[in-house]
Amino acid sequence: MNYPDLCMVIDGERVTGGGRRTHRVLNPATGDALGELPLADAADLDRALETAQRGFRIWRDSTPQQRSAVLQGAARLMLERQEELARIATMEEGKTLAETRIEVLMNVGLFNFYAGETFRNYGRTLVRPAGMRATVTKEPVGPVAAFSPWNFPLGNPGRKLGAPIAAGCSVILKSAEETPASAIGVLQCLLDAGLPKEVAQAVFGVPDEVSRHLLGSPIIRKLSFTGSTVVGKHLIKLATEDMKRTTMELGGHGPVLVFDDVDVDQVLDTMVASKYRNAGQVCVSPTRFIVQEDIFERFRTGFAERAGRIVVGDGLDTSTQMGPMANPRRPDAMERLIGDAKAKGARLHAGGERIGNRGFFFAPSVLSEVPLDAAIMNEEPFGPVVMINPFGSEESMIAEANRLPYGLAAYAWTQDARRQRRLAREVETGMLGINTSMIGGADAPFGGVKWSGHGSEDGPEGVEACLVTKAVHEG
């Protein structure tokens, strides 16, 4: 299939050209250009803000039936367009077609769930003496500025658009410039399903320019951001100036506690596949493997063997199990972090190098006995590399899991029911998978603690984050 012409969408218009600056979108499997993306100037952003203000006035008065119909209609269209959307996302981001097809299904499930939530934005009536009345209502917060990254080119825009639309808000989506056609594809499904053109729009641009312009406007009442902790902290400061509501899903450094009462092969078969999904470019990726000493060597050997068998190639090739990294910055980061770890005494058991001379491929990598002062043990690697270290006691394993200021996702493997309950209480994280790598779902909140952010997407919590509470007292 051909790659689509790139544009912004403002007030229903596909905005292109006009002497605007552009960003070259690359295919990470080849490094070749896919297209030129027009970038917003100040006038474009002002127009988007004015449109969002009108859109909010329209959509806040919509009925639950109208919101539900749009979300269900968009879900049906995404399902019909699954192959087209998946191929575009693979061309832009690099991950395998199997993964981008799943992303489409994630959006379908989420939009259908949110369609039901439109009927459940409940308030309540308080008990008062005769002649008095007090009610608590939930109202949409207002126009939302939503910023999404490139690693889930379909799923992230779906999250950013679905919840505000279910709540009755308007949205300006600023998705990643590396993956614009994927985001536009998701938005187009909503517009084709009957969403008023003023309610949701998409802009692209120089990130700092766009964020300062949108968050500097009193029209925007909420910021929703998924991305790095560094950028998240910067955006929160901008949002604070106008006391805007925020939902922040930031970086992680996923610990995996593996105890000696497990089936080692079962854990490896599950977690190796999870680790190298999207070449490790996943915010909840299992990264620091904290393994009890008795099974450490067997676990490390098994992980390295499985990593070495992974088929790396173009995500459009159905035989590929792991695609390239999404942009040229990521292989550079892998070389820096792995080189630093080796210089500090870590052992390399698999990978550790680029593959080929085209595209942004990096081999699935395994490090062990990595010193805690190595950069990779403290900085989210966001790539196809794991660190496996031995530990003696449950207490020391929990301490290592909680050592960093991140707390997005964590994993634990043990058959001891009492230990499972202790881990559920003691591990500092927004999401914990015990004997599973599956920690998400349309009906489950997705979010972190500490430096990994605050607030949740998905589930009823995702819609709740786009609502404000009003108490009305009548005498």
Side-chain angles (χ1 to χ4, degrees):
M1 63 170 288
N2 294 325
Y3 186 72
D5 293 333
L6 296 173
C7 65
M8 296 182 286
V9 179
I10 302 175
D11 199 8
E13 178 188 345
R14 298 177 74 85
V15 177
T16 61
R20 292 174 176 83
R21 296 165 296 173
T22 61
H23 171 83
R24 179 164 292 178
V25 179
L26 302 180
N27 182 337
T30 64
D32 297 336
L34 290 169
E36 295 286 338
L37 174 68
L39 303 181
D41 56 26
D44 293 322
L45 298 176
D46 284 337
R47 183 182 174 204
L49 286 164
E50 188 274 331
T51 303
Q53 190 170 41
R54 286 189 286 115
F56 177 56
R57 288 195 291 267
I58 294 168
W59 200 238
R60 70 181 177 186
D61 294 329
S62 63
T63 65
Q65 289 83 357
Q66 289 171 310
R67 299 175 196 173
S68 179
V70 165
L71 288 163
Q72 287 182 316
R76 286 192 296 271
L77 289 173
M78 281 189 285
L79 200 55
E80 291 174 8
R81 301 170 186 177
Q82 180 182 21
E83 196 63 19
E84 175 188 351
L85 290 169
R87 292 186 71 84
I88 289 171
T90 292
M91 292 170 71
E92 289 186 325
E93 201 272 349
K95 67 174 65 175
T96 66
L97 272 175
E99 292 179 76
T100 52
R101 288 168 181 148
I102 290 172
E103 267 193 72
V104 176
L105 297 180
M106 287 169 52
N107 276 354
V108 169
L110 185 62
F111 279 27
N112 280 327
F113 178 82
Y114 280 156
E117 285 301 293
T118 63
F119 296 95
R120 291 188 284 271
N121 294 333
Y122 301 135
R124 66 185 189 274
T125 301
L126 307 180
V127 177
R128 290 292 182 268
M132 299 182 67
R133 186 169 183 264
T135 57
V136 179
T137 61
K138 299 294 180 72
E139 299 180 351
V141 63
V144 176
F147 299 82
S148 68
W150 45 259
N151 63 325
F152 282 80
L154 299 166
N156 284 326
R159 277 181 167 147
K160 297 303 180 191
L161 293 165
I165 288 169
C169 300
S170 58
V171 196
I172 300 176
L173 174 68
K174 206 295 286 182
S175 194
E177 285 69 32
E178 289 93 340
T179 56
S182 300
I184 296 297
V186 175
L187 173 59
Q188 194 62 51
C189 288
L190 286 159
L191 295 172
D192 290 347
L195 185 73
K197 62 184 178 63
E198 299 89 350
V199 175
Q201 47 204 314
V203 299
F204 302 94
V206 178
D208 190 54
E209 289 181 15
V210 176
S211 59
R212 288 183 184 276
H213 198 110
L214 295 183
L215 296 178
S217 169
I219 291 173
I220 297 298
R221 295 312 313 151
K222 175 182 168 65
L223 161 66
S224 178
F225 173 74
T226 298
S228 72
T229 296
V230 171
V231 175
K233 288 181 177 182
H234 167 66
L235 294 181
I236 285 177
K237 291 175 183 176
L238 296 179
T240 300
E241 291 297 318
D242 196 31
M243 293 299 290
K244 301 183 193 298
R245 292 271 297 271
T246 57
T247 296
M248 311 299 289
E249 195 263 278
L250 307 180
H253 204 302
V256 186
L257 296 85
V258 184
F259 294 89
D260 60 11
D261 60 348
V262 300
D263 180 330
V264 171
D265 287 327
Q266 178 193 4
V267 178
L268 288 170
D269 289 342
T270 301
M271 298 312 287
V272 170
S274 180
K275 171 66 244 182
Y276 298 115
R277 176 172 67 114
N278 194 20
Q281 300 165 122
V282 180
C283 54
V284 297
S285 183
T287 298
R288 288 179 294 140
F289 282 77
I290 302 165
V291 183
Q292 275 199 315
E293 291 170 336
D294 288 351
I295 59 171
F296 167 72
E297 289 192 12
R298 181 183 169 197
F299 188 89
R300 178 191 61 195
T301 300
F303 211 111
E305 289 174 348
R306 286 165 172 81
R309 293 197 296 264
I310 291 174
V311 179
V312 181
D314 191 325
L316 294 174
D317 186 333
T318 56
S319 66
T320 294
Q321 295 173 300
M322 190 185 94
M325 305 199 77
N327 55 62
R329 302 185 302 275
R330 300 315 309 153
D332 290 346
M334 291 301 97
E335 289 183 331
R336 173 178 62 83
L337 291 168
I338 292 173
D340 172 76
K342 291 169 62 180
K344 289 184 167 67
R347 300 177 63 191
L348 179 67
H349 302 274
E353 60 187 7
R354 298 171 189 253
I355 300 174
N357 55 13
R358 288 193 77 205
F360 315 130
F361 295 96
F362 202 89
S365 303
V366 177
L367 294 166
S368 77
E369 293 132 301
V370 188
L372 296 185
D373 64 346
I376 201 168
M377 291 297 291
N378 301 280
E379 175 185 335
E380 182 180 25
F382 217 63
V385 58
V386 298
M387 297 79 75
I388 306 174
N389 283 346
F391 285 81
S393 67
E394 177 182 317
E395 291 74 18
S396 65
M397 294 170 74
I398 293 173
E400 169 56 19
N402 293 339
R403 177 179 60 86
L404 296 182
Y406 303 102
L408 185 60
Y411 306 86
W413 289 82
T414 179
Q415 297 304 312
D416 186 324
R418 290 181 180 274
R419 178 185 287 143
Q420 291 172 5
R421 289 193 291 272
R422 289 194 298 271
L423 294 171
R425 182 180 65 249
E426 297 295 336
V427 177
E428 298 168 354
T429 186
M431 297 169 285
L432 176 63
I434 299 178
N435 297 336
T436 181
S437 63
M438 303 296 291
I439 58 170
D443 57 350
F446 189 98
V449 298
K450 302 194 291 187
W451 281 12
S452 292
H454 56 253
S456 296
E457 297 185 293
D458 300 356
E461 292 82 359
V463 180
E464 180 73 22
C466 298
L467 298 170
V468 291
T469 302
K470 177 185 286 183
V472 179
H473 300 272
E474 303 172 55

